[in-house]
Amino acid sequence: MRRVPGWPPALGLQDQKHSLKFPAGGVTIDGDAMDREMIKFTLRCADKHEFDSWFQSAAAFDKLQGAGMVTCAVCGGTEVQKALMAPSLHTAPDKAPAPPPTPEEQALAQLKRQIEQNSEYVGLNFAREAREMHDGLAPERAIYGEAKPEEARKLIEDGVPVAPLPFVPRRKSN
């Protein structure tokens, strides 16, 4: 937090990126919260000094200006008007491009594609389906799905040929 010298307590805010402090009240507002809850105006005084200031709303600026409480940050003049400015658009922060997949990641993605293309997804019925195929009650086919740890353990103990997948299956709906 930094205290901004020269700002009148009635206005109390100056454009900063990280945090702002109201000199009179001691209230601190995080810069990100300020972007969401307040509006920033570029202002110009009669002596053509340009500066930025934050306000609760456009109506709050008008009310403070009408009461003579908006002053120039440079010279202290009270003849302050909004300057021409571009609107501030909030966008998602720039994300660094994802690094290229490693050979291991590529192999895992290929394995996942092959399993999903050449097997039947049986979802949460995997343990029952695998047991029925092992016991000869259902036709043999390639399946994949999901099982609770205790169900998987029991299948392995009973000699049912199953193996955990190194990825989470994509659940199919309908």
Side-chain angles (χ1 to χ4, degrees):
M1 290 180 293
R2 293 193 315 244
R3 185 146 197 246
V4 182
W7 274 88
L11 185 56
L13 300 173
Q14 166 132 1
D15 181 26
Q16 296 180 14
K17 286 288 181 203
H18 303 293
S19 65
L20 298 174
K21 182 171 181 144
F22 288 82
V27 177
T28 301
I29 296 178
D30 179 288
D32 291 336
M34 178 159 297
D35 285 346
R36 289 188 303 272
E37 300 170 6
M38 300 187 77
I39 187 168
K40 180 174 79 169
F41 288 122
T42 300
L43 305 175
R44 180 180 296 142
C45 76
D47 291 332
K48 302 204 184 319
H49 299 127
E50 245 184 51
F51 57 98
D52 293 336
S53 190
W54 292 91
F55 296 89
Q56 201 169 27
S57 64
F61 167 79
D62 294 336
K63 184 176 179 181
L64 288 169
Q65 183 188 37
M69 298 175 81
V70 180
T71 60
C72 176
V74 178
C75 66
T78 57
E79 288 186 51
V80 176
Q81 301 293 322
K82 292 180 203 171
L84 184 61
M85 59 186 197
S88 175
L89 300 177
H90 294 275
T91 59
D94 291 339
K95 294 184 180 176
T102 64
E104 294 82 7
E105 291 170 329
Q106 291 175 353
L108 186 59
Q110 177 63 25
L111 174 65
K112 183 176 180 179
R113 272 192 301 279
Q114 285 180 340
I115 289 173
E116 289 176 346
Q117 289 173 358
N118 300 313
S119 304
E120 179 185 344
Y121 178 73
V122 294
L124 297 173
N125 297 326
F126 178 80
R128 182 177 51 81
E129 292 281 336
R131 184 167 303 285
E132 287 178 0
M133 284 191 304
H134 180 71
D135 293 342
L137 301 174
E140 289 281 329
R141 65 196 192 284
I143 63 169
Y144 72 104
E146 300 167 56
K148 294 178 182 172
E150 56 273 6
E151 292 173 328
R153 198 172 299 115
K154 184 72 173 137
L155 288 171
I156 292 168
E157 288 171 0
D158 293 344
V160 178
V162 296
L165 294 176
F167 58 86
V168 177
R170 186 175 339 162
R171 291 186 178 197
K172 298 187 179 176
S173 57
N174 296 344

